[in-house]
């Protein structure tokens, strides 16, 4: 399950994409399927090795079009190993709530994003996250756990201070908030509690089958208890530079608005040198197969499912 909505966040074949703090790789895999030149970066070497294996499996199965490429590499979000203006698109999903120097991470993302490029930031939403913190200290007081809860206007303000121009927001994963409330109430490590098991089965069924009933229910719940808050923004062109025609950027009506209208796709940017990595793969066009799903971990915003078809994501976060 993806947190970023690609109907609001246009991605063109050949776009240079950085999935920063990629975790299990769900957004990186989707970008690869869409024909992008993807770099998936995380400080967790074990997860990066797993992501690299899935990239190779996707290439072998022909799940990405010709011209797409994928690289998985370890790295530090506060010291990215890329030149300025290296990427057309940056995604950082359910990561910033873990990092003490979130302003430093924003600065690095803006540095490596080209002028006119697009960025998607997702964090746990304030209300549902406050409930989790109130129910369980173990939910967030763990090594590498959540160290802050963002209000919507706070995150938007920090992004603007970093030089970004937000153009849309929405909430995601309304069905997942009750799952995490149950986890916190019965114990975040207690997967044997019957209410937790029952709700987990519901979420797995929803992710695998996508029935209309749960799709409609989540659409109704997202504005009220959506687990994740998602912001889309662009990096403006420098004064005096010739800007390519970019989509008009409209400020969100409210920091916690339920949804924003889909934005027009940005025109295809001129290609630069593809960023390098430690392990990667290039894909040809074949008909592919999907891979099995992976179990969630506690630090995600909502990861109650198993590893998706070639990691088409198991929840709202890594």
């Amino acid at each position: 399950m993806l947190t970023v909505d690609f109907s609001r966040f246009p991605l063109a074949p050949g776009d240079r994409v950085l999935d920063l703090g990629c975790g299990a790789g769900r957004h990186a895999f989707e970008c690869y399927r869409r024909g992008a030149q993807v770099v998936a970066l995380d400080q967790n070497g074990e997860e990066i090795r797993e992501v690299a294996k899935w990239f190779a499996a996707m290439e072998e199965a022909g799940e990405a079009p010709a011209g797409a490429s994928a690289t998985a590499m370890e790295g530090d979000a506060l010291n990215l190993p890329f030149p300025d203006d290296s990427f057309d698109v940056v995604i950082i999903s359910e990561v910033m709530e873990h990092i003490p120097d979130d302003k430093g991470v924003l600065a690095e993302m803006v540095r490596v994003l080209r002028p006119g490029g697009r960025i998607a930031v997702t964090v746990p939403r304030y209300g549902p996250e406050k409930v989790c913190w109130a129910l369980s200290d173990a939910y967030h007081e763990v090594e590498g756990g959540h160290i802050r809860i963002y209000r919507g206007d706070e995150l938007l303000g920090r992004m603007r201070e970093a030089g970004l121009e937000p153009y849309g927001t929405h909430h995601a994963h309304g069905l997942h908030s009750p799952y995490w409330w149950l986890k916190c109430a019965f114990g975040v490590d207690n997967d044997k509690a019957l209410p937790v098991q029952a709700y987990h089965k519901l979420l797995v069924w929803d992710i695998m089958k996508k029935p209309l009933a749960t799709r409609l229910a989540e659409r109704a719940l997202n504005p009220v208890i959506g687990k994740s808050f998602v912001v889309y923004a662009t990096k403006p062109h420098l004064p005096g530079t010739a800007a390519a025609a970019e989509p008009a950027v409209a400020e969100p009506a409210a920091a916690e608005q339920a949804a924003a209208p889909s934005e027009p796709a940005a025109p295809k940017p001129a290609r630069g040198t593809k960023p390098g990595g430690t392990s990667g793969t290039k894909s040809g066009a074949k008909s592919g197969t999907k891979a099995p799903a992976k179990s969630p971990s506690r630090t995600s915003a909502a990861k109650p499912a198993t590893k998706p078809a070639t990691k088409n994501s198991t929840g709202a976060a890594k």
Side-chain angles (χ1 to χ4, degrees), residues 2-42:
L2 300 172
T3 308
V4 172
D5 181 353
F6 287 96
S7 69
R8 304 170 189 262
F9 189 65
L11 188 69
D15 274 347
R16 301 162 297 172
V17 177
L18 172 63
D19 185 2
L20 182 56
C22 65
R26 60 206 172 91
H27 288 105
F29 299 139
E30 180 64 21
C31 292
Y32 187 32
R33 289 189 188 97
R34 290 171 178 260
Q37 300 175 17
V38 183
V39 174
L41 183 143
D42 201 286

Side-chain angles (χ1 to χ4, degrees), residues 96 102-103 106 123-124 126 148-162 166 229 231 255-256:
M96 288 180 57
D102 57 344
K103 291 184 179 180
L106 279 169
V123 297
Y126 182 83
R148 71 173 63 83
I149 306 176
Y150 288 100
R151 291 187 180 274
D153 55 356
E154 177 188 7
L155 179 59
L156 288 165
R158 293 195 184 191
M159 291 175 68
R160 291 188 181 102
E161 288 174 4
F229 179 55
V231 183
E256 289 279 315

Side-chain angles (χ1 to χ4, degrees), residues 97-157:
E97 68 275 10
H98 297 272
I99 301 177
D101 187 7
D102 57 344
K103 291 184 179 180
V105 172
L106 279 169
E108 272 294 89
M109 289 190 291
V110 171
R111 180 184 68 80
V112 302
L113 183 65
R114 69 164 178 85
R118 291 145 283 141
I119 186 168
V121 178
T122 90
V123 297
R125 185 183 183 178
Y126 182 83
E129 186 76 349
K130 284 286 284 187
V131 174
C132 289
W133 283 44
L135 289 172
S136 171
D137 290 336
Y139 170 79
H140 63 97
E141 291 182 356
V142 294
E143 184 178 356
H146 298 184
I147 63 171
R148 71 173 63 83
I149 306 176
Y150 288 100
R151 291 187 180 274
D153 55 356
E154 177 188 7
L155 179 59
L156 288 165

